[in-house]
Amino acid sequence: MAAKIMIRVGIAIMVLLATGEEARAVVRKTIQSDDGDMIDCVAVSLEIQQPGRSMKDMIADSDIAVATEERPQSWRKDGGGCPSGTIPIRRSPAANAMNTTEAFSIAGNGVPPPHDLSSGKVEKAVAYGTNGPYHGLRAEVPIWNVDVHPDEFSMSYVMVGYTLDTSYVPGAGADAPTSLPNQIMAGLMTWPSVYGDSAPRLFVYYTNDSGVHYNCFNTECGGFQLTSTKYALGSRWVGHPQFGGKQYGVYIGIHRDNTKLIWWVSVQDVDIGYFRDTVFDTRFPEASYVEMGGRVLNTRPGGHHTTTPMGSTMPACASSLYAASIKEYLGVSAVGQLFLDDVGRSIATVPSCYGARPIGFGKYRSGYYTVYGGAGGIYCDH
């Protein structure tokens, strides 16, 4: 059944903001997806920048990266999308029930605050690289459907981070920096209390204080400016991977503009938006560190370690046909070139529960491969 489309041309509707304030935004078109998502195509009134060099430009100049085909999210599976001059905004479950939209920074005021993650502890199992300085990365992030505790999340992601430690020297064999105040992540996450279900959905994230107090997802904090009409933050893709069978993934990229201190995020090599240069309180001219794998928010329900899984639920010792894997990872060098980067070391904050296993460079497709994940559960406490 085709997605239902309701068009509102030139009509200003109420915009629900996280602060409870009301503003007005022009919704040109509303798309109701078969999976229940409501996507509002919101007119952009702010001046939108374009990258000096796009991810597609870097791939075209590379002899190791393979260009990807567009992979529409579920709300665009029939080829439709938002018109030029608008951006897609997914309504939250609360806003959908009230028949309102959430434009956040698009409306220019009432920007929602950082997300409070103090209810639990974020645990991770990742591979990392310190062979920078980096100007970004690109990799395929897997899609896995898993059951997640309602108040927790499970994510698969890639990240770039920058340390302010002037004594730190990135390079082959260097340990991970002891502090990374400036971080950008992008990937897929399941977060029932935010998205209303256990589907893996597109997200971006940034912090400027190592995530101590400032955890900004998607358009929270007003730092990320959407530019593309093709991909909506918080939306999902069609496709259900099978253990030992067909796998699904999305190519995610993060790269710094070659002319400005602006960091772009790409999906399937389409630049979807950027972090404004005013987002970070301190300089973020490059990345000292890259990271890829999974994270789980563990709230210890019932006083025990959560049963929320990471990745596919399978441990990192399993085959990549069963465990989640980041594929075809390539770094972006300080001159804006994609390069083969060895990320052969790993970090697991709770190794009895979640793990990461760097595999090495691919035989048939360029880039580095890493397997990660775990089932969670009370035995993680032992």
Side-chain angles (χ1 to χ4, degrees), residues 11 21 33 233 248 289 349:
I11 300 176
E21 299 178 6
S33 177
L233 295 173
Y248 295 91
Y289 172 87
T349 55

Side-chain angles (χ1 to χ4, degrees), residues 61-296:
D61 292 341
S62 170
D63 58 0
I64 56 175
V66 177
T68 63
E69 297 181 354
E70 184 180 351
R71 188 172 183 203
Q73 290 174 307
S74 58
W75 64 278
R76 289 188 57 235
K77 72 174 187 177
D78 297 306
C82 285
S84 177
T86 68
I87 57 173
I89 301 292
R90 177 188 181 266
R91 295 186 192 179
S92 72
N96 197 21
M98 297 174 63
N99 196 29
T100 58
T101 186
E102 292 173 284
F104 296 147
S105 59
I106 306 307
N109 61 6
V111 175
H115 221 95
D116 183 5
L117 301 181
S118 61
S119 61
K121 179 181 179 181
V122 177
E123 299 173 354
K124 69 179 183 179
V126 299
Y128 71 91
T130 57
N131 303 311
Y134 299 94
H135 274 204
L137 52 72
R138 174 186 182 259
E140 185 186 45
V141 177
I143 298 173
W144 284 99
N145 297 278
V146 295
D147 291 327
V148 174
H149 188 277
D151 297 323
E152 299 175 340
F153 64 66
S154 180
M155 68 166 68
S156 296
Y157 70 98
V158 292
M159 184 192 89
V160 296
Y162 181 65
T163 182
L164 300 177
D165 182 357
T166 57
S167 65
Y168 181 78
V169 180
D175 292 331
T178 56
S179 66
L180 281 171
N182 295 336
Q183 302 174 23
I184 294 172
M185 297 182 198
L188 299 167
M189 72 185 309
T190 300
W191 199 349
S193 65
V194 171
Y195 298 123
D197 58 25
S198 286
R201 297 177 177 275
L202 176 67
F203 82 95
V204 297
Y205 164 94
Y206 80 93
T207 182
N208 56 23
D209 70 352
S210 300
V212 176
H213 302 292
Y214 216 68
N215 294 283
C216 300
F217 292 87
N218 298 339
T219 49
E220 291 173 350
C221 314
F224 188 73
Q225 176 62 60
L226 285 162
T227 62
S228 173
T229 62
K230 295 184 176 181
Y231 294 101
L233 295 173
S235 287
R236 62 187 295 184
W237 277 266
V238 176
H240 299 282
Q242 302 294 322
F243 286 116
K246 187 172 179 58
Q247 307 287 311
Y248 295 91
V250 179
Y251 285 87
I252 302 291
I254 303 170
H255 75 279
R256 210 206 86 175
D257 195 284
N258 63 338
T259 59
K260 303 173 183 177
L261 290 179
I262 292 175
W263 290 86
W264 286 83
V265 174
S266 62
V267 176
Q268 291 296 108
D269 302 331
V270 174
D271 297 307
I272 67 164
Y274 59 88
F275 290 95
R276 299 181 179 89
D277 53 2
T278 56
V279 164
F280 299 97
D281 296 334
T282 54
R283 295 179 69 247
F284 196 169
E286 61 194 30
S288 329
Y289 172 87
V290 295
E291 181 179 283
M292 61 215 67
R295 294 192 179 199
V296 163

